[in-house]
Amino acid sequence: MKVKDALIGFSVGDALGVPIEFTHRNNDVNTYLKDMIGFGSHNVPAGTWSDDTSMTIATMDSLIQNNGISLEDIMEKFVQWLSMSKYTATDKVFDIGNTTYKALHKYETNRDIKTCGSNEEWENGNGSLMRMLPIALYLYYNNFSAEKEVDIINSVSALTHAHEISVLGCNIYCDFIKQLLKNKGDYKLSYDFIINKDYSKYYSEQTINKYSRVLNGSIIDLNMSDIKSSGYVIDTLEASLWCVLNNDSYENSVVQAINLGNDTDTIGAITGSMCGIIYGLENIPERWINSLKKINYLNELSEKFETVVLGKKLEFTDNYSDKVSPSISTNVSYYLLNDSIIFMIDNDSMLFYRLNENNEWVLSNDLVSVFHDSVYNYVKVDSSYVASFISQRSKKL
């Protein structure tokens, strides 16, 4: 799974952009900022992430605690962030957008999630787009209908940003993230999906036309001078996609994103989330990860999110459909995985076998990665436990 790649990629991009937010664009490639520096625009230490990551991990925490989406709880956690500095990098809140602040203030006053989000066209900042990553991940690993997915994205965005322009931007971003996961990071194939998708079933022609440079495929061919990097949701999505589509590494993409100037933390974060999935955690420069505040917490939260919310879905391929037990040696070890799956390691051959639905041992070497992944919950059991497990399941069959 790519949860950790996406979240760390997002947070690194955010932290890189924080110290130069609101600055003018750097058009000189030779003097691009490429290091994790401190202070600057917000006078915070190097590696400090902003409201983008805070609201993203608040959303993740809510999904974990509720094993799904609770709009009220998401807002409660946003309020905890704003009023108590929870989910912050340095126990200090900074850099909150006006529309988001107004929505949270409304919610604190009346506790009504249906009326707190702004629906004015001039209030289409990127404040809901920047926290949508956990929703995209949640949707990918759960099989909802297309209509249900749109409803979820719209509702989560509308907590702060209810206008159609904002919610469509969130939908496009979620679609791209889901396609990156499906296509194993192939961003060109994933972008083709966006170009070919018909959004008119859910959104007005007027709003769709505002995203024309993204939806007609022309964004990739634009010059940097054609790309705006403001906090307007359309500008942010365009800039992030442009950086992804015109570079070939996590580092190059994010460096270009933050050097566009203006809303550098959010564009860095959105770009970083996409590129974290595309290139993997192993290709995010260590010098950046080592500087990131609360990295252990972000890693732990990613693992909890995978385990609890996504259910750590296990899909094993049986290499052989027939019984293979005659070839198994007597030197074996048995394990119980997630309280429901029995697997076995032949210690002589180091082959992995899984007990299939017919209580037959089948070769399943894709379990190797599971065995070395500490996120999975497995325990060693003895042969008598396996016999009892088989007996109980046979009765049910």
Side-chain angles (χ1 to χ4, degrees):
M1 289 188 178
K2 287 282 190 175
V3 174
K4 190 178 295 186
D5 307 64
L7 180 61
I8 301 303
F10 182 99
S11 304
V12 166
D14 182 5
L16 282 165
V18 162
I20 56 171
E21 188 179 17
F22 311 128
T23 59
H24 294 297
R25 177 169 299 180
N26 183 358
N27 291 305
D28 183 3
V29 176
N30 296 318
T31 60
Y32 270 1
L33 176 67
K34 298 182 179 180
D35 297 312
M36 193 81 78
I37 63 173
F39 307 98
S41 301
H42 296 285
N43 197 33
V44 293
T48 301
W49 24 268
S50 73
D51 55 334
D52 300 63
T53 300
S54 292
M55 297 190 81
T56 294
I57 61 179
T59 304
M60 291 184 77
D61 193 32
S62 180
L63 286 164
I64 290 168
Q65 292 190 23
N66 293 278
N67 199 16
I69 294 174
S70 166
L71 298 176
E72 291 82 359
D73 188 65
I74 291 174
M75 283 299 279
E76 289 290 346
K77 286 177 168 45
F78 290 165
V79 169
Q80 290 173 17
W81 158 66
L82 181 61
S83 61
M84 302 166 57
S85 298
K86 192 174 181 181
Y87 307 111
T88 59
T90 58
D91 300 321
K92 176 184 177 182
V93 175
F94 65 94
D95 194 27
I96 181 172
N98 292 332
T99 303
T100 297
Y101 180 82
K102 185 167 76 171
L104 296 187
H105 180 68
K106 278 186 181 180
Y107 180 75
E108 282 187 289
T109 302
N110 58 33
R111 287 298 193 270
D112 183 4
I113 60 169
K114 295 181 180 180
T115 61
C116 53
S118 297
N119 197 28
E120 299 291 337
E121 185 168 356
W122 53 272
E123 292 181 305
N124 277 304
N126 54 28
S128 61
L129 177 68
M130 71 185 194
R131 56 178 169 80
M132 203 54 60
L133 176 62
I135 303 302
L137 295 168
Y138 174 76
L139 295 179
Y140 176 73
Y141 290 109
N142 291 274
N143 297 317
F144 297 113
S145 66
E147 290 74 18
K148 179 65 173 177
E149 288 194 350
V150 169
D151 180 62
I152 289 172
I153 295 168
N154 291 358
S155 298
V156 175
S157 174
L159 292 173
T160 56
H161 294 68
H163 194 275
E164 193 177 58
I165 291 175
S166 287
V167 297
L168 175 54
C170 290
N171 268 272
I172 295 170
Y173 171 71
C174 286
D175 280 340
F176 191 63
I177 291 291
K178 289 185 296 172
Q179 288 300 309
L180 288 177
L181 293 165
K182 178 181 178 181
N183 297 318
K184 302 186 186 303
D186 187 328
Y187 56 88
K188 292 183 179 178
L189 184 61
S190 300
Y191 184 50
D192 284 342
F193 175 89
I194 301 299
I195 295 172
N196 293 312
K197 181 170 179 176
D198 181 9
Y199 288 95
S200 64
K201 184 177 180 180
Y202 310 105
Y203 303 103
S204 69
E205 182 179 357
Q206 181 181 9
T207 295
I208 291 172
N209 287 340
K210 290 184 179 295
Y211 284 94
S212 60
R213 301 202 305 183
V214 168
L215 298 178
N216 67 17
S218 65
I219 194 76
I220 190 173
D221 296 320
L222 298 178
N223 295 319
M224 187 191 299
S225 58
D226 299 316
I227 299 298
K228 298 178 182 178
S229 52
S230 77
Y232 181 43
V233 62
I234 296 175
D235 290 347
T236 298
L237 186 61
E238 284 188 346
S240 300
L241 283 169
W242 183 82
C243 290
V244 170
L245 297 170
N246 283 285
N247 286 284
D248 58 2
S249 70
Y250 177 93
E251 181 169 4
N252 290 342
S253 301
V254 172
V255 164
Q256 185 159 59
I258 64 170
N259 283 280
L260 289 175
N262 204 342
D263 203 356
T264 52
D265 57 338
T266 303
I267 295 173
I270 297 295
T271 303
S273 68
M274 299 171 179
C275 291
I277 295 171
I278 295 167
Y279 301 106
L281 187 64
E282 65 276 13
N283 288 308
I284 301 176
E286 283 189 27
R287 69 183 190 280
W288 292 348
I289 294 178
N290 293 338
S291 297
L292 196 63
K293 297 295 183 185
K294 295 187 178 179
I295 181 63
N296 290 336
Y297 170 69
L298 297 175
N299 284 330
E300 290 169 5
L301 192 70
S302 299
E303 292 170 1
K304 286 181 181 178
F305 189 83
E306 287 190 349
T307 304
V308 178
V309 178
L310 309 183
K312 240 354 186 169
K313 292 188 176 180
L314 306 170
E315 298 179 2
F316 302 127
T317 302
D318 294 340
N319 300 73
Y320 302 106
S321 58
D322 57 327
K323 294 182 181 180
V324 295
S325 51
S327 65
I328 299 174
S329 73
T330 56
N331 182 21
V332 298
S333 301
Y334 300 98
Y335 295 87
L336 174 66
L337 172 64
N338 284 4
D339 297 322
S340 60
I341 297 171
I342 294 286
F343 71 95
M344 172 179 61
I345 304 175
D346 186 326
N347 297 314
D348 290 338
S349 63
M350 290 310 297
L351 294 175
F352 286 66
Y353 299 87
R354 178 172 64 90
L355 196 65
N356 70 10
E357 294 178 354
N358 297 319
N359 291 329
E360 301 168 337
W361 291 109
V362 291
L363 190 64
S364 194
N365 277 331
D366 42 0
L367 280 161
V368 174
S369 60
V370 173
F371 188 69
H372 291 97
D373 188 343
S374 61
V375 175
Y376 286 93
N377 178 31
Y378 60 84
V379 294
K380 193 170 185 178
V381 294
D382 57 23
S383 58
S384 62
Y385 183 96
V386 176
S388 176
F389 183 94
I390 293 173
S391 176
Q392 293 297 320
R393 193 161 67 175
S394 296
K395 290 178 182 178
K396 293 179 182 179
L397 293 175

